[in-house]
Amino acid sequence: MQKNLSIKLAIIGFVTLLLLIPLGMISDKISERSQFLDQAKQDVSESWTGQQTVMTAMVVFPYEVNQETTLVDKISQKKTLHISKLAKRKFLIPDNIKINARITNDMRHKGIYQIPVYTTRLDISGQINNDSWQAMLKEIKNEARGGRLGRPYITTTVSDPRGINSIPTLMWQDKKIPFQPGSKLLENNRGLHAYLPEMPPISDKPGANVSAGSLSEAIKFTFQLELRGMEAISFIPVGQAANVQASSTWPHPQFIGEFLPVSRNISQDGYQASWKITSFASNISDKIAQCENKVCQPLFTSDFGIKHIEAVDIYLQSERSVKYGMLFIGLSFISFFIFEVIMKLPIHPIQYTLVGFAIAIFYLLLISLSEHIAFLLAYLIASLACTALLLSYLRYVLAGFKQAFAFAALLLLLYGTLYIIISAEDLALAMGALLTFVCLAIVMFTTRHIDWYQVGEQLNSKHNAALTAKEEP
C-alpha cells in the first residue's frame, strides 16, 4: 500500500536532483563572469597600474673590501700575495620613519565593469641619529681594510614605477636632491634612488676623520611621492620605529599584511587608520642583515596596508544565492506535496519540474540584470518576475487563486530573507543556518497531523481506480 507513495517520493526526489544541473550551469556562468571581471582588472592594471607596495627610504653604503689571496706556483712553489676588490654594501635604516598617505579614489570602466583605482600622495619623512651614522661608517672602515667607499645613496622601492606621477625631490637636511629612476638594489630595481653628498675616503690611519661632513645633530630628510594604483596599497616601513597614517574616501577598507592598525575610524565617508611599529615587532634588523647578504625576500614580503574592496560584490552575492537554490526548490516541492495530500490535488512530476525551472531561472535573471543595474533593483525585478510567473501558472495547478497566492507570498518572503542573508558580510552563514532550521521546523509543524500510511492508501486507491477505469469497455 506504500508502494505508490514511495514511487511518488522517488520521482520528486529524482526531479529535484535533476534540477541540480541547471543550478550548476548557472553557478558556472557566475564563475565565468567573475573571471571576466578579473580579466578586466588585469587589462586596467596594464594601462593604469596594479596594486602598489612601497618600501620607505634607507641609505645604502656601497664599498670595496681588499681581499688578500695567496697564490702558489705549482712548479717553483713560489708564493704570491694577490689583492682583489670585493664589492659589498651596508644598509642604514632611519631611527624614525613617518608616512602620511592621502588616497583619492576613482573608477575606471572596462566594458560593463567598473574597476576601483586610486591616486595617493605619500609624505615620507625620517630621521637618522648621528650615532647611528657614525657607527655605520666605523663598521665599514673596520671591514674595508683600506678599501674604497662608494657614494652612498638613499633608496626606496615601488612595485609598479609606472604609477609615479611626478619626479620627487629629496630634502636631505637643507639640500634638495632629485631622485633618479631605479632603486639600485639588485634584488628589486623598481623604485627610486638619490645620491647623497660626497663622502670622504676611508682611511685606516689612527685618528682619521670618518664623519659625513662632521655631523653634529640628527639627519632629517623628507620627500613626497605621488602614486597611482589599483585596489590595494601596502608599505614596508624600514625603520627602527615607524608611524604610518592613511586616509581615504573609500568606505570599505580591508586591512592586509603583517600588521593591523592600532587605531581606525571607518564610515560611509571613508576611513582613517594609523600604525605604530617598532623594530621589535618587525624584526627589521635581521631582515636588513639578510638583505645585505642578498637574501631580501623576507624584507620585501613584510608589508602591510589597505585593500579597497566592495563589501559584497554582485558575483559573490549571486553565488551565495545559488547555494540556497536547492533549499528553495526543496521547500517548493514539499509545499506542493502537502497541497497534494491535504487538498487531494494530483500534481504531475512535469509540473514539479516546470516550477523548479522557474525558480532556477531567477538566478540567471539576477546575474544578467545586476551587471547593468544596481544589485538590489536587479534582485527585486528577478524575484517579482519569477513570482508573477509562478502565480499565473499555479492558479491552475493548485485549482484556485487563493492557494497560488499563498505559495507566491511564501516565495516572496523567502526571497526577501535570502537577500538579507546574502547581503550580510559576517553573519551570512549563521543567518543561512537559521533560515534552514526555521523552514524545517515549519514543515514539521505543518505535517505533524498527517497520517502518511493513510496517504499511501489514498494514492493506492487512486491508482487502482485509474486502472479499473482503463479496463472498463
Side-chain angles (χ1 to χ4, degrees), residues 49 96 248:
T49 53
N96 293 285
S248 170

Side-chain angles (χ1 to χ4, degrees), residues 194 326 430:
M326 187 50 61

